Every structure is written in structure tokens, then in C-alpha cells.
Amino acid sequence: MKAHEFQAKELLADRGATVPKGIVVDSAEAAVAAFDALGGTPVVLKAQIHAGGRGKGHFPGSGKEFGGVKYLTKREDIAPVATTMLSFPLVTKQTGEAGQKVSRLLVQQAADIQREIYLGMILDRATGMPVMMACAEGGVDIEEVAAHTPEKILKEPVSPELGLQPYQARKLAFAMGFTGNQVAEAEKIMHALSKLFLEKDANIVEINPLVVTPSGVVMALDAKIVFDDNALFRHPDIEALRDPTEEDPAELKAARSGLSFVSMNGNIGCLVNGAGLAMSTMDIIKYHGGEPANFLDVGGGASKDQVTEAFRILLADPKVEAVLVNIFGGIMKCDTIATAILAAFKEVGFHVPLVVRLEGTNVDAGKKLLADSGLDIVPATGMTEAADKVVAAARSRRKS
Ligand code: ADP
Ligand code: MG
């Protein structure tokens, strides 16, 4: 789960990080009032969406040049810019072409920027540890730095038990070129970031940019955070920050039924049981020249109703041109799946070819149910045959 910039900044500020003053608003009038409340000094209007790259984004159809981060000095400019931001979807590198609707703006005191630094913490799967990363060349082009000069990004592994140690923060602060009082200021922000990451079971916390002003103040101008969904049950305060308007409706619907749905870009829908089987199903589809549109994991012991709901979600995805059901019956019985397929067929109707590979508990009973139904279902034995058949089925729909 992600949180908005203003929420991430509050969480950082609670732990001692310096952030600029800001007010969250949802209308142009409130934005003007916020400008006044901040003292009528220059502000930055910032579209609150979960995607990054807002600064370099744009509002197609608005006829305006600016993106989701706009520096403004004049009171009369606040309302028109806020109105545009709240009226048109914001498109960035991370949103896809349709963009994301902006419901809230952060009116933030503008900072004079002398230098922009990148500071982040991720879970490094290679070492199995959280790692703090810092780069003296922060700002909107950090992806370029990571791609072309990765040696400029310094990394410091952080013990999950002890947190970031003072010597580590000092080392990074010196390496980032901080001097005098700035060293302690930067360290404070690094400790806040590490605390937030560890306390709230985050996967990623990023401050980009961390800035130094000409008068030597060090503060976090942007903040992004991704929480570990599997740990959210321990953090009701974080769960309360969820913004459903930012999430994929199909994924939300699936989560409500206890199913796990992941949307992708291809045209083959996959219904599987178990994350491992989902991964190998996607691999084998790709190996046979196809592209998965999504995968829906019904888990180890899904009920008939859950499986019917799963089909409803899969078939509602307009990208899907063929469906592969790949079930290994362990706890899940193959005849349960077969019954659910037949029920779903009656309820939702299949408008695309369906290939079914069943193996395991009650497989013969499951296969018989499907064969006896007289429905247009393509049976497959083994993963290879299943992948072959579903890729061919999706291709033939492309041609027709
Ligand atoms: P994103 O990463 O989504 O593009 P940021 O919050 O990082 O959004 O904003 C993009 C750029 O806008 C920053 O790198 C910074 O240069 C500038 N910026 C953001 N907030 C402020 C602010 N409060 N004062 C001055 N400049 C800002
Ligand atoms: Mg940023």
C-alpha cells in the first residue's frame, strides 16, 4: 500500500524530520486560503497522487504547460492553477496514459534550493536487509543516475533490530557533502527515515529531494512510501491512510473476496492457486510467446463462491482475450474448480476461449464434470500443452 506525499511527510515529521510547512486542500478556494495562512509567501502547489514524476507530468486537455508541481508567487495565480489540477487527470511516467484524477493538493511553502539530494531506504532482497541509499545528485533525474552512474549511489545496510547507527548516518552525511550544522540536520532526517521504515514495516521510503537552502536549512521536500501489505494488520493507523481512489478497482474487489489479483499488460487471463504456480504459469506463457493480462490467485482452499467471483473479475478485464485455468488440487479439489467454472459460465458467460489444466485431488471427477457439460472448454494435460493452447487461442482471437 502506498501513501500520499503529505501523509508520508507527516510520518517523517513525527519522527523528527524537518519538512516545509504545508496545508492539504480539496478546492481552489481552500488553496487560496492556505496561501494566505502560510503568510502569502511563495508556495508550491502539489498534486497529491500516489504516482511519482509529478513535477515532469502534464494535464492533457487543459492547454496548460505545467505538471503536478507548480511554483507560484502571486495570490491571483493560485485559484486557476488549483482548478486545472483538480479538473484534469495528471499523467506522469508512472500513471499510464489515462492519468490519475487529483482530489487533493498540498499547498506547500516554497523552499530556496541550493542542492537536491536523494535519500531512500529499501528492503534489499539480495542481502536480506534494509538498506539506506543516498546520492548527492538527487531531484527529478535520479532514475538516470541509477541507470548510468550507479556508483554515485551510496548504500548502508541497516540492522532491523538496531536501526540506523549514528556512525552510519554521519558517514552518509559527510559523503553527501554536508558541513557544519547541516550534518546534524541531515542525520536527524536519516534517523527519522530509518525509524519510519522499520516501525511501520515499509518496503520503500524515499525522500527525493532532500534539499539544502542557501541559509543552510536541510529538509525533506518530497516523500514517497510503500508499506508491506502483509504487515498492514499490525498497523491500523497506516491502514487508515488507504486511498481507494488510487488503487486498481479489480485488485480491490479481489482483495475484498480474499483473492489476490495482479493486473498486467498482456491478453491472457490466468486463474491459478498459489503464488508459486502463478509465477510459473506466467513464465511458461511468456516462454510460449504469450503475455499474461493478469493473474488471479484463488489460494489454497477457495470456495465455490470465491472461484465464481474470481472468474467474474477475470472476465471483466477488457484486455483478456483468452483464459488459462491452471490448478493443482492439493487442498483445493479439482471438482470444486470444475463446478465453479460451470457456475461462472452460467452466471457471467464466457466471451473468450477457456483452457483448463487440472491436476491433483479429484482430477478425474473434475475433468469429467467439464467434459460432460458440453461447454466449449479446451482441456489440457500438463503446463506445456496448456500454455501452447492458450497462446494459440489468444492469437486466433487477434487475427479474427
Ligand atoms: P515528483 O518527485 O513527484 O516530481 P517532487 O515533490 O519531488 O515531486 O517535486 C518535483 C521538484 O519540484 C523537486 O525536485 C523540487 O525541485 C521542486 N519542489 C518540490 N517541492 C518544492 C518546494 N516546497 N519548494 C521548492 N521546490 C519544490
Ligand atoms: Mg520527488
Side-chain angles (χ1 to χ4, degrees), residues 66-214:
F66 53 81
V69 177
K70 178 75 180 141
Y71 179 87
L72 295 169
T73 53
K74 297 199 194 91
R75 189 176 192 271
E76 62 267 29
D77 291 341
I78 304 283
V81 172
T83 303
T84 300
M85 287 187 176
L86 292 167
S87 310
F88 293 87
L90 172 57
V91 175
T92 81
K93 262 190 196 161
Q94 295 180 9
T95 59
E97 281 170 26
Q100 177 65 39
K101 184 179 164 26
V102 181
S103 311
R104 282 178 285 190
L105 304 175
L106 176 62
V107 186
Q108 193 178 55
Q109 219 154 44
D112 276 339
I113 302 175
Q114 193 179 56
R115 216 150 73 75
E116 298 197 328
I117 288 141
Y118 172 93
L119 187 67
M121 195 153 157
I122 58 153
L123 196 62
D124 179 6
R125 287 169 205 281
T127 55
M129 279 183 86
V131 172
M132 185 163 283
M133 300 188 296
C135 179
E137 294 175 27
V140 290
D141 291 324
I142 187 68
E143 282 84 6
E144 296 290 307
V145 177
H148 302 297
T149 46
E151 68 280 0
K152 291 186 177 166
I153 300 176
L154 303 185
K155 295 180 180 170
E156 201 59 43
V158 176
S159 156
E161 289 86 18
L162 305 175
L164 184 75
Q165 294 298 292
Y167 81 90
Q168 295 182 298
R170 218 154 29 238
K171 193 164 125 190
L172 286 175
F174 285 137
M176 292 302 105
F178 289 109
T179 52
N181 292 341
Q182 297 169 11
V183 177
E185 289 296 306
E187 283 177 27
K188 219 166 59 184
I189 296 178
M190 289 178 195
H191 286 297
L193 190 143
S194 165
K195 268 190 207 142
L196 174 59
F197 184 97
L198 295 173
E199 276 173 29
K200 298 298 178 190
D201 294 309
N203 284 336
I204 302 174
V205 180
E206 266 188 350
I207 298 175
N208 188 31
L210 173 74
V211 300
V212 188
T213 69

Side-chain angles (χ1 to χ4, degrees), residues 338 341-342 356 358 363-379:
I341 292 173
L342 302 180
V356 180
L358 299 176
V363 62
D364 293 335
K367 282 184 173 168
K368 187 165 182 319
L369 276 169
L370 296 181
D372 292 350
S373 71
L375 300 177
D376 192 10
I377 293 169
V378 183

Side-chain angles (χ1 to χ4, degrees), residues 165-348:
Q165 294 298 292
Y167 81 90
Q168 295 182 298
R170 218 154 29 238
K171 193 164 125 190
L172 286 175
F174 285 137
M176 292 302 105
F178 289 109
T179 52
N181 292 341
Q182 297 169 11
V183 177
E185 289 296 306
E187 283 177 27
K188 219 166 59 184
I189 296 178
M190 289 178 195
H191 286 297
L193 190 143
S194 165
K195 268 190 207 142
L196 174 59
F197 184 97
L198 295 173
E199 276 173 29
K200 298 298 178 190
D201 294 309
N203 284 336
I204 302 174
V205 180
E206 266 188 350
I207 298 175
N208 188 31
L210 173 74
V211 300
V212 188
T213 69
S215 56
V217 178
V218 181
M219 60 185 166
L221 281 201
D222 187 16
K224 301 257 187 306
I225 187 159
V226 183
F227 298 99
D228 181 348
D229 288 333
N230 294 316
L232 279 176
F233 73 97
R234 307 207 288 198
H235 306 292
D237 56 327
I238 299 298
E239 178 67 51
L241 304 180
R242 187 184 287 280
D243 181 348
T245 65
E246 291 279 341
E247 299 188 12
D248 181 321
E251 289 180 16
L252 267 184
K253 203 164 167 219
R256 267 188 229 119
S257 305
L259 304 163
S260 144
F261 179 83
V262 176
S263 190
M264 277 163 299
N265 298 325
N267 62 344
I268 298 174
C270 305
L271 190 147
V272 297
N273 61 331
L277 190 59
M279 296 301 155
S280 45
T281 303
M282 286 191 296
D283 281 350
I284 202 147
I285 286 175
K286 279 184 162 275
Y287 187 72
H288 286 263
E291 286 292 335
N294 52 45
F295 75 80
L296 206 151
D297 176 4
V298 295
S303 68
K304 187 178 132 239
D305 287 346
Q306 273 177 311
V307 176
T308 310
E309 181 64 12
F311 273 115
R312 239 185 248 126
I313 294 167
L314 269 190
L315 293 171
D317 185 340
K319 297 193 301 294
V320 171
E321 292 181 302
V323 171
L324 172 59
V325 174
N326 188 9
I327 297 290
F328 184 82
I331 303 169
M332 166 72 76
K333 296 186 182 69
C334 292
D335 51 337
T336 305
I337 281 284
T339 311
I341 292 173
L342 302 180
F345 200 96
K346 283 192 199 114
E347 275 192 52
V348 218

